[in-house]
Amino acid sequence: MKTTFTVVLASVFSNAAFGQIGINTPTPIASLDIVAKRTDGSTAEGVLPPRLSGEEIKAGDSQYTESHAGTIIYASAPVRISSSKTANITAAGLYYYDGKMWQRMLPGDPRKLNPQSAGDIKNSMQPSDHNGWYLLNGRSVSSLPSSAQTSAAGLGFTTRLPDASDRILKTRNGAELLGSQGGNNNMTITRSNLPDINLIGVVSGTAESAGAHIHTSDEGGFLLGGTNVGNNGSGHYQGNSDSSSWGGVGMMGSTAISGAHIHSLSGIATIPTGGVGATMDNRSAYLVVNTFIYLGE
């Protein structure tokens, strides 16, 4: 350890006059030029940045200002409860400080340090705007910072941001406008929504037997025909059972007993459904989150 430190110091002091620092080289070609000590694989080469856990990085939040932009640290573990500067430290890896917060140095294209693009959408448990992400709550575009207004206008939102409150996201189909809204959380079934079937109720049966009975004259008499006595209409009504009624033709006062009998019954009846037309909740089981759109910082 002492030998390595001596070599580094010797390199630093020997090149200080030239304004460049070389490690393992007497002729640095950049402000800091690190040359591999060995190339045969017998030693581990490379640059090892400071290694801190996410919690340790968060503990130093107050020490990092805009002048520290470009600082690189390896986070050995994610932060458990993030601060505004450490919200992106969600996994072990290399992070750089952009002057406001720590950003992940993603694997793959090293130039793509910020993977977000204006118009990207995400769901989050974050309660409000953060790091260029703006809550989709239908607010006026004029209430946003100027840079965010420019991004929103470029996406076609010149008056208001879309309102994602109580809505799910739907992929665009055909000529639909991005940011347009539709659908309902509640629905009511109407007759046209019912299956194509006929609901017909057929009623059949018999009336209860009334037993042996007669029909009296006050229920309606019968005119006796077949005679010509007073059949010129000059007679007058004197009573249902009076033989001189209707010109002496007479009336029968009641029918004979016909014995016990029943009457058949048939027809079509209205079948009540018992419904009240109440609306139904049209949503599946859900988890409540906030929806954000990225408009840049």
Side-chain angles (χ1 to χ4, degrees), residues 186-196 199 273 276-280:
N186 297 295
M187 60 184 294
T188 302
I189 295 294
T190 64
R191 183 173 182 176
S192 61
N193 300 126
L194 296 175
D196 186 15
L199 299 177
T273 63
V276 296
T279 60
M280 299 183 298

Side-chain angles (χ1 to χ4, degrees), residues 89-134:
I89 304 179
T90 58
L94 282 172
Y95 291 83
Y96 74 96
Y97 189 69
D98 67 0
K100 294 182 179 179
M101 67 183 306
W102 292 98
Q103 301 287 356
R104 178 79 184 273
M105 297 178 66
L106 298 177
D109 186 352
R111 295 169 297 178
K112 194 176 181 182
L113 299 178
N114 189 345
Q116 289 83 32
S117 298
D120 286 355
I121 299 291
K122 75 170 183 178
N123 291 326
S124 173
M125 294 294 186
Q126 290 280 359
S128 57
D129 302 343
H130 58 282
N131 310 324
W133 291 95
Y134 292 86

Side-chain angles (χ1 to χ4, degrees), residues 126-241:
Q126 290 280 359
S128 57
D129 302 343
H130 58 282
N131 310 324
W133 291 95
Y134 292 86
L135 188 64
L136 283 177
N137 59 359
R139 79 183 87 174
S140 172
V141 171
S142 62
S143 66
L144 303 174
S146 58
S147 59
Q149 290 184 40
T150 301
S151 294
L155 296 170
F157 307 130
T158 57
T159 305
R160 292 186 173 276
L161 292 180
D163 190 354
S165 303
D166 210 17
R167 294 184 179 275
I168 62 171
L169 303 183
K170 173 188 175 297
T171 301
R172 179 173 177 263
N173 179 28
E176 288 180 323
L177 295 177
L178 292 174
S180 59
Q181 299 178 346
N184 295 288
N185 288 326
N186 297 295
M187 60 184 294
T188 302
I189 295 294
T190 64
R191 183 173 182 176
S192 61
N193 300 126
L194 296 175
D196 186 15
I197 58 175
N198 295 320
L199 299 177
I200 299 176
V202 178
V203 177
S204 62
T206 57
E208 291 185 0
S209 174
H213 62 278
I214 62 175
H215 296 281
T216 60
S217 59
D218 58 356
E219 295 175 335
F222 297 89
L223 179 66
L224 299 178
T227 64
N228 57 11
V229 178
N231 201 23
N232 58 3
S234 61
H236 56 85
Y237 176 77
Q238 296 180 359
N240 287 343
S241 59

Side-chain angles (χ1 to χ4, degrees), residues 52-90:
L52 298 170
S53 69
E55 293 299 317
E56 290 170 333
I57 296 172
K58 185 180 73 170
D61 271 358
S62 61
Q63 304 301 316
Y64 293 95
T65 64
E66 291 186 1
S67 62
H68 290 87
T71 301
I72 297 175
I73 286 180
Y74 180 83
S76 59
V79 65
R80 292 191 298 272
I81 301 177
S82 65
S83 62
S84 60
K85 292 182 179 180
T86 60
N88 291 329
I89 304 179
T90 58

Side-chain angles (χ1 to χ4, degrees), residues 28-47:
I29 60 175
S31 297
L32 176 61
D33 186 4
I34 304 175
V35 176
K37 184 177 181 181
R38 304 243 181 181
T39 59
D40 58 3
S42 60
T43 61
E45 303 292 341
V47 176

